[in-house]
Amino acid sequence: MHDRAVTKAPPLHRNLIAGRDVEAAGAEPLDVVCPSDGAVIARIQQSGAAEIDAAARAARQAFEGGWGLLTATERGRLLVKLSEAITAEGESLGALEALDTGKPISQGRADATAAARYFEFYGTSADKLHGDTIPFLNGYTVAVTREPHGVTGHIAPWNYPLQIVGRSVGAALACGNACVVKPAEDASLTALRVAQLAREVGFPDGALNVVTGLGSVAGAALSAHPGVDFMSFTGSPEVGTLVQQAAARHHAGVTLELGGKSPQIVFADADLDAAAPTLVKAIIQNGGQTCSAGSRVLIERRVFDDVARLLAPRFRALRAGPHDRDRDLGAMINAKQKRRVTGFIEAALRDGAPLLAEGAIDEDAPAGGFYVAPALLGPVARDARIAREEVFGPVLSLMPFDDEADAVALANGTDYGLVAGVWTNDAKRSMRVARAMRCGQVFVNGYGAGGGVELPFGGVKKSGHGREKGFEALYEFSAAKTIVIHHG
Ligand code: NAD
């Protein structure tokens, strides 16, 4: 039974700026609510422009001082130490992530493991980011070096705080940037802990700063700060536009990792039994609050009913419950998100989409939690809102298609372009369709919801631009400098 001793006052967390724990001046701290039961579990600083400015200055000082003087190998070693510290604390970090976001505890642990892996990957990559030489005119040598941008700002969402901070800050630090992180107000606790661990393993002061607060205040101040040379934003397309506009005023580069409406295309010749569990997992993982969730399953018409029959019992067996019970999914992050998701389901049903199956919520789940029962809908009309907009919840839409060309048009027919899945046993078709997808990542006969740490990731269209993850991110967080030497 989910249980909590409610006697203690919730702990107050401070910003980490220039290696010190500091309180924000002015505004009252923000309450942090556990989505599983609605209880206040902590308080975080409600920072404003002054704290962002202090963090940007601290990062600049680190970039021009202690952090900037380290060799790539030394930076890499520190990142590997941070990875080891995260691994050593994996159990409690995973539990903290689950408590803060409502996700099942096993997903919290997996996120901690992934964060450690990001820092390991980027730590061991730091001194492998080689430059280039270019054949040029006689008497010249041209070298291209990779230079850090300087101070990088990182705005993270609440769905995978540990993983997203790991992937973005890991790559930026490996390149030699100094970072200012503004985590989501709904889920800031693990980002703060990672920064503390960085301090403990010996990162120079100011190399990694974390400032908490509201997006419209602290986030806006970070994206508009002229001392931030490059912004990495992960979140909604609407806020991504604001961040890019603000950064453009001082000509800072931006990567935008935004939402998705990712299709999984199931051809009649696919191994449907093998596909079924993955099709369900791709939407249920993290309660569907995953940018790369496979939220549309496009099915060749003649096997539509077969696929629906395979998925329906799996959906009926799904259970939502408190994070510490480790059900298939936890609660939505907050009351607003719960309203948004249930609103989408109700509207789809009103518009005539059949409810093929529904999962359940633990009967004794705390009344204050933000639970939504998973829903399987289909066939969903192509122009329905649920077929085109990101729900960010445990809702899967099934849609039939007629042939390969129709499947490709349907898959590419939304404003988004993040990930796609192709299920077929026809090797040539798998390649044709993968190449035809307008998105950043395609899985054939599998689906990884973003895939591993090593795999470049990012979107096109409304899903954003720029790439994070993999070695590719190191090019994003650095810039080429061309040095032309005339030696005769
Ligand atoms: P959001 O855009 O509301 O918030 C994201 C971050 O932006 C938060 O830290 C928030 O405080 C901050 N923010 C809000 N207003 C701001 C402003 N005016 N200026 C600057 N910062 C501001 O997104 P969310 O609801 O936290 O996350 C859900 C969205 O994120 C979904 O659309 C999802 O698909 C997307 N997402 C994308 C990826 C990816 O890698 N492509 C990964 C995870 C989530």
Side-chain angles (χ1 to χ4, degrees), residues 385-398:
R385 217 180 129 221
I386 193 99
R388 314 183 67 82
E389 293 183 23
E390 184 182 47
V391 178
F392 225 51
V395 186
L396 184 60
S397 297
L398 307 187

Side-chain angles (χ1 to χ4, degrees), residues 352-375:
L355 179 65
L356 293 172
E358 200 177 23
I361 299 167
D362 278 354
E363 275 175 18
D364 59 347
F370 312 120
Y371 300 96
V372 174

Side-chain angles (χ1 to χ4, degrees), residues 222-253:
L222 180 58
S223 19
H225 198 290
V228 175
D229 303 297
F230 188 86
M231 280 299 303
S232 158
F233 174 79
T234 307
S236 61
E238 296 70 27
V239 176
T241 305
L242 297 177
V243 169
Q244 183 155 16
Q245 281 170 339
R249 292 203 186 91
H250 55 279
H251 309 286

Side-chain angles (χ1 to χ4, degrees), residues 155-159 164 167 182-185 213-216 219-220 223 233-237 239 242-243 257-260 290-291 390 392 418 457 463:
I155 298 182
W158 42 259
N159 60 346
I164 288 170
R167 80 179 186 196
K182 207 300 281 175
E185 48 272 47
L214 298 175
S216 56
S223 19
F233 174 79
T234 307
S236 61
V239 176
L242 297 177
V243 169
E257 296 282 1
L258 311 177
T290 302
C291 53
E390 184 182 47
F392 225 51
L418 196 54
F457 179 72
S463 293

Side-chain angles (χ1 to χ4, degrees), residues 408 412 422 429-439 442:
V408 168
N412 286 337
V422 185
R429 175 156 64 193
S430 71
M431 199 53 170
R432 269 196 314 272
V433 175
R435 295 297 302 269
M437 290 296 98
R438 288 206 61 209
C439 63
V442 184

